[in-house]
Amino acid sequence: MTQAATKPRQPELKTTLPGPRSQDIMARDKMHLSTSYMRPYPFVPDHGEGVWLTDVDGNTMLDFFAGIAVSTTGHAHPHVVKAVQEQIGKFTHVCLTDYPQEITTSLAERLVKHVERPLADGSTEKWRVFFSNSGAEAVEAAVKLARNHTGRQHIISTMGSFHGRTYGAITLTGSKTKYKRGFGPLLPAVSHVPYPNPFRPPLGSTPETCGQAVIDHIEGLFVGILPADEVAAIIVEPMQGEGGYIVPPADFLPKLRQLCDKHGILLIYDEVQAGMGRTGKMFSYQHFGNGGQDCQPDIITSAKGIASGMPLGALLAKESVMTWPVGSHGSTYGGNPVAAAAAHATLDLLEGQVQHPGCGASLMENAAQVGAYIMAELKKMQAEFPFLGDVRGEGLFIGMEFVQPDGTPDGALRDRASMRMFEKGLLNLDCGEAVIRISPPLILTREDAETGLGIMREALAELAG
Ligand SMILES: Cc1ncc(COP(=O)(O)O)c(C=O)c1O
């Protein structure tokens, strides 16, 4: 007897959203938690399993946003759960600033293997790691290190960027004024330059020339406005996240590297959102310049997907750059051993030492394959729905941009599309002015991708009709 093919799992909505228990919690949440929290989607999670999240009323949704690109291995992955449970039974905290821990030493060794490269003299370029609790803290550390190492003050960042919510990080951020309004004065000596967005090329450029146009713009600043020898670092997201899931043209990062070398400026890649395997490579810059060899940064910031949701950030820097003196920087919790255990387990799955059923040799490989499938299907939808102006990305880092008939961004339509998808059981999240991001757990199978795409297509067809 042949076995019938199992039907792919579908979202299960038992109540209208939000259900009664969710409503109660949301009302209490509104009364007692900070007024700064946004609550765009009425969903109160109770438990998760893989790419599925169930709320306190028993509604099960397909997760296409992974808690903003964090839950790399999905929810409650048994390998991650076991690693965390084992570590928590050993010790939870003995401040890494003062005491070494094997679990963080070996984690640093594993992380730097993904960036260290052979040098012309036959040696290997060495890197070091500082551990924090979050992306913003890693960014703060990067700015402090860059200033401390170079003795220069100025930092250049990009428009549309997001680097976090601490004072240094919001100063660097260039995506929304609401992050800054009423909070000044911010960090001094920070400038912003356009990001080379091929769909909306800045500075009168074209999709092909926008990378060079931004480089020329920076060189122009150095002539008339900003002395290059006072610039400590340029910080850039190799693929821009909150700004709209934007992939720059292939020549941009190699040319930026050359510009930095010419002026003795450090190059910082903020890989907090696009890094840790999401794009199909460990770090997103490795899609450019000969596998990253021709656009190697000096400093990398990482967080989000690094530990499957346990709070951990990492600052990776070339050994020649990480020269700040003993005691000059630290953190009580940064490099917490439980978070580090989760990071080891996450890396096991990303690199393929441990395989996840149905996801090929490694989760990085799965991200590349399932991402390519989703992209191909979205291109088909784009041909069908003219309001889908652009679909772009790498691996499971995908953005779909909504446009008005004249090509300008259509944020209102994006909001309606996002909410319809949510109401049909697909957890998703907006970004940029008019973009929905697709950033699911990297354990997403092709079948689950089909389910999600089916929901998206239904929602888009309703908007079109
Ligand atoms: C590129 C980038 N950098 C930094 C951050 C800040 O990370 P965290 O929220 O962990 O502080 C984010 C968060 O979205 C991010 O996308």
Side-chain angles (χ1 to χ4, degrees), residues 180-331:
K180 303 187 183 198
R181 185 171 296 113
F183 290 117
L186 305 180
L187 201 68
V190 172
S191 309
H192 289 83
V193 299
Y195 191 83
N197 175 356
F199 185 60
R200 300 194 180 280
L203 304 162
S205 64
T206 65
E208 294 74 34
T209 61
C210 63
Q212 183 63 51
V214 172
I215 300 293
D216 293 344
H217 177 77
I218 300 172
E219 288 286 13
L221 292 182
F222 293 163
V223 173
I225 297 173
L226 180 60
D229 60 5
E230 292 187 7
V231 178
I234 298 180
I235 182 166
V236 66
E237 292 162 87
M239 293 187 192
Q240 203 173 63
E242 299 299 309
Y245 272 43
I246 300 164
V247 180
D251 65 341
F252 176 60
L253 293 180
K255 285 179 171 161
L256 193 60
R257 177 70 268 177
Q258 285 168 16
L259 177 141
C260 287
D261 287 343
K262 182 172 151 197
H263 298 288
I265 295 169
L266 296 179
L267 182 55
I268 305 172
Y269 289 160
D270 185 341
E271 289 273 2
V272 168
Q273 187 143 177
M276 300 314 295
R278 174 154 298 284
T279 64
K281 296 192 189 285
M282 187 54 81
F283 293 110
S284 63
Y285 78 88
Q286 292 161 343
H287 286 275
F288 305 101
N290 186 23
Q293 298 295 308
D294 301 339
C295 56
Q296 180 86 335
D298 301 293
I299 297 174
I300 294 173
T301 55
S302 178
K304 285 196 186 282
I306 196 171
S308 292
M310 292 297 287
L312 186 71
L315 167 86
L316 283 67
K318 284 180 183 163
E319 190 174 65
S320 56
V321 168
M322 199 175 269
T323 51
W324 47 15
V326 172
S328 60
H329 194 59
S331 164

Side-chain angles (χ1 to χ4, degrees), residues 158-163 170 172-180 192 237 240 242-244 432-433:
T158 58
M159 294 175 186
S161 63
F162 187 84
H163 297 290
I170 53 166
L172 300 174
T173 291
S175 55
K176 292 189 179 108
T177 48
K178 72 175 173 186
Y179 301 138
K180 303 187 183 198
H192 289 83
E237 292 162 87
Q240 203 173 63
E242 299 299 309
E433 227 183 308

Side-chain angles (χ1 to χ4, degrees), residues 121-179:
D121 65 4
S123 65
T124 302
E125 180 182 80
K126 291 281 172 221
W127 284 62
R128 289 175 178 269
V129 182
F130 171 84
F131 286 109
S132 65
N133 305 283
S134 66
E137 283 174 75
V139 168
E140 292 292 325
V143 171
K144 285 178 70 177
L145 178 62
R147 283 182 164 179
N148 190 273
H149 177 72
T150 60
R152 302 174 177 186
Q153 289 195 2
H154 213 95
I155 309 285
I156 295 178
S157 182
T158 58
M159 294 175 186
S161 63
F162 187 84
H163 297 290
R165 314 279 189 153
T166 51
Y167 262 104
I170 53 166
T171 312
L172 300 174
T173 291
S175 55
K176 292 189 179 108
T177 48
K178 72 175 173 186
Y179 301 138

Side-chain angles (χ1 to χ4, degrees), residues 9-146:
R9 191 171 170 184
Q10 298 292 325
E12 253 184 87
L13 299 182
K14 296 187 172 160
T15 70
T16 50
L17 297 170
R21 292 195 64 203
S22 300
Q23 282 181 34
D24 173 53
I25 294 166
M26 287 172 68
R28 285 159 48 213
D29 172 274
K30 196 167 179 190
M31 229 182 308
H32 300 296
L33 272 80
S34 165
T35 49
S36 61
Y37 289 124
M38 301 183 297
R39 296 287 184 252
Y41 306 94
F43 184 83
V44 182
D46 177 73
H47 61 274
E49 186 195 356
V51 294
W52 300 92
L53 261 183
T54 302
D55 78 359
V56 290
D57 294 290
N59 298 301
T60 299
M61 313 267 283
L62 177 56
D63 185 357
F64 257 34
F65 93 114
I68 321 189
V70 169
S71 312
T72 331
T73 56
H75 301 284
H77 195 289
H79 185 60
V80 178
V81 171
K82 183 164 172 278
V84 166
Q85 282 173 340
E86 277 177 14
Q87 181 56 42
I88 219 161
K90 288 185 186 166
F91 69 98
T92 312
H93 171 78
V94 185
C95 191
L96 182 63
T97 302
D98 300 305
Y99 293 88
Q101 308 168 164
E102 200 286 329
I103 198 158
T104 28
T105 306
S106 51
L107 181 59
E109 286 164 351
R110 280 183 91 169
L111 286 171
V112 297
K113 281 211 172 74
H114 290 279
V115 291
E116 285 180 346
R117 56 179 184 163
L119 295 174
D121 65 4
S123 65
T124 302
E125 180 182 80
K126 291 281 172 221
W127 284 62
R128 289 175 178 269
V129 182
F130 171 84
F131 286 109
S132 65
N133 305 283
S134 66
E137 283 174 75
V139 168
E140 292 292 325
V143 171
K144 285 178 70 177
L145 178 62

Side-chain angles (χ1 to χ4, degrees), residues 437-450:
R437 74 183 102 190
I438 301 175
S439 58
L442 309 188
I443 56 166
L444 192 82
T445 60
R446 186 173 159 138
E447 290 69 35
D448 293 331
E450 272 168 25

